[in-house]
Amino acid sequence: MLKYTLKRIVNLIPVLFIISVLVFFLMKAMPGDPVVLMMPRGGGKQMTQEEFDKLYDTLSEKYGFDKSIPEQYVRWLGKTLKGDFGDSMQTRTPVRKFLSEPLKNTIILNLGATVISFVLSILIGIRSAVKKGGFFDKFFQVFTLVGISLPTFFIGLLLIYIVAFKLKWLPANGMPRDNSFLQWIRYLILPTITLTVGSLASLSRYVRSSMLDALNEDYIRTARAKGLKEKTVIYSHAFRNALIPVVTAMAWSIIGMFSGSAITERVFAYKGIGNELITAVIATDYNVVLALSMFYALLTLLGNLLMDITYALVDPRVKLEA
């Protein structure tokens, strides 16, 4: 297991390198001049053309924009490997400092939504499979179909309209004014529900489908013929074997939440990395977009690695070849 994991991690290096090249050159192909964006605006006297050109040349030299694109890439890659992602062009602060709080906020939001959707989807999926054709199963078949069909932003706006505006139970959007637990909970409930509905809808259908396949296997009929309790048959025999495809869906669900939470964060004005990414793209903040693009790429690759390792933990029959 350790040898396989180390080999996979080493194999990620050339993949990340190729991704970094593509992301960097795509960013350079975007319209707009990053040096012009860094020029001071308003609050002072109008610069002459000579002063503008002098300041432009100074900033270009300071941030390496006077070099060729390959030289700029080597410079950016070297700084990135040292943990220096440059400065945000919006706030003139280091990207690491600029994204530290949004990253924490996104992890808090996605961690809660992931745990809730995983637990509920397991419970709903198993019960739907066991009670196939019953009221519970039919209800959640309709619910999950609606959840998959509705876009995330529509669910968020619907919750804001009903819960925040009509019922006035919770704040519509924004961030908590202080770090108290109750304040955080109040502001997290609606975006967490929004993320959970979409993930729960697809994941619970995976669990139900996998459980139905497992319950029709010969070893389940054998277990029942031996007189084992129904709970033992369902949870110890059927569910463990049904986990294999669920692991795949769960891994992609986690990755999808981090990338898909950008829309949810935007709808609820939640200060997370998804919201900051959208703002950075609009503002052409190159360094922030580059840093977040590489973060999402790394998250996807690690999600694939985690998925393969989890296979072996869930099912001992799966062998990982180094």
Side-chain angles (χ1 to χ4, degrees):
M1 176 73 75
L2 179 60
K3 186 178 179 181
Y4 172 83
T5 304
L6 291 175
K7 182 180 178 181
R8 283 293 305 272
I9 292 174
V10 171
N11 289 339
L12 292 182
I13 296 175
V15 178
L16 274 175
F17 172 73
I18 294 172
I19 292 174
S20 69
V21 172
L22 293 174
V23 169
F24 186 85
F25 281 88
L26 283 173
M27 282 299 304
K28 288 300 176 181
M30 288 179 61
D33 189 337
V35 180
V36 173
L37 293 172
M38 290 187 287
M39 302 288 280
R41 299 179 184 180
K45 65 175 185 178
Q46 187 73 24
M47 285 189 296
T48 63
Q49 186 62 43
E50 183 179 350
E51 291 173 331
F52 180 90
D53 293 339
K54 184 178 180 180
L55 181 58
Y56 185 94
D57 293 338
T58 301
L59 291 174
S60 295
E61 184 178 354
K62 178 181 178 181
Y63 291 101
F65 290 112
D66 58 333
K67 304 290 192 299
S68 65
I69 292 181
E71 289 177 304
Q72 290 182 43
Y73 170 76
V74 172
R75 173 190 171 103
W76 169 77
L77 183 62
K79 293 174 67 176
T80 299
L81 292 175
K82 296 176 183 177
D84 181 5
F85 304 104
D87 295 338
S88 167
M89 297 172 188
Q90 303 172 74
T91 61
R92 305 295 191 273
T93 58
V95 172
R96 286 179 61 180
K97 182 178 179 181
F98 177 73
L99 293 178
S100 59
E101 184 181 353
L103 179 59
K104 180 196 74 173
N105 295 339
T106 295
I107 290 174
I108 291 173
L109 174 61
N110 282 272
L111 187 63
T114 300
V115 172
I116 294 171
S117 64
F118 181 71
V119 173
L120 289 180
S121 63
I122 295 295
L123 297 175
I124 293 171
I126 292 176
R127 184 170 176 82
S128 294
V130 174
K131 303 292 184 180
K132 180 184 176 183
F135 173 78
F136 184 91
D137 181 39
K138 291 179 179 178
F139 173 81
F140 276 100
Q141 283 291 89
V142 174
F143 172 82
T144 55
L145 187 61
V146 172
I148 293 173
S149 303
L150 292 179
T152 305
F153 73 87
F154 182 82
I155 297 174
L157 292 174
L158 189 64
L159 288 173
I160 289 174
Y161 177 74
I162 296 174
V163 180
F165 289 162
K166 288 296 183 181
L167 301 177
K168 301 185 185 300
W169 287 350
L170 295 168
N173 50 37
M175 297 291 295
R177 297 181 181 85
D178 55 60
N179 288 323
S180 67
F181 179 74
L182 291 178
Q183 279 284 351
W184 267 100
I185 291 297
R186 281 175 54 80
Y187 280 87
L188 278 172
I189 289 177
L190 291 184
T192 299
I193 293 174
T194 303
L195 284 176
T196 301
V197 168
S199 178
L200 172 65
S202 58
L203 197 56
S204 62
R205 292 177 76 91
Y206 269 105
V207 177
R208 178 184 181 274
S209 178
S210 298
M211 279 295 296
L212 286 174
D213 291 340
L215 289 171
N216 289 323
E217 293 292 337
D218 291 338
Y219 64 86
I220 296 297
R221 285 190 285 270
T222 303
R224 284 171 172 160
K226 288 181 178 179
L228 294 178
K229 293 181 179 179
E230 188 64 15
K231 286 186 177 181
T232 303
V233 173
I234 292 171
Y235 293 102
S236 297
H237 292 76
F239 178 60
R240 180 162 185 176
N241 288 279
L243 267 180
I244 297 292
V246 174
V247 166
T248 306
M250 188 62 198
W252 283 112
S253 177
I254 294 173
I255 297 169
M257 273 193 177
F258 271 91
S259 56
S261 65
I263 299 173
T264 303
E265 290 172 2
R266 196 71 174 179
V267 169
F268 290 96
Y270 186 83
K271 190 178 180 181
I273 57 172
N275 195 4
E276 294 298 338
L277 176 59
I278 295 175
T279 303
V281 170
I282 295 172
T284 327
D285 196 336
Y286 290 89
N287 291 330
V288 173
V289 175
L290 282 170
L292 288 177
S293 297
M294 291 307 299
F295 168 77
Y296 284 121
L298 182 61
L299 181 68
T300 302
L301 294 174
L302 291 178
N304 277 288
L305 175 61
L306 180 63
M307 184 170 55
D308 289 342
I309 294 173
T310 309
Y311 276 161
L313 297 177
V314 171
D315 190 349
R317 296 172 299 177
V318 177
K319 300 296 182 182
L320 299 179
E321 299 295 337

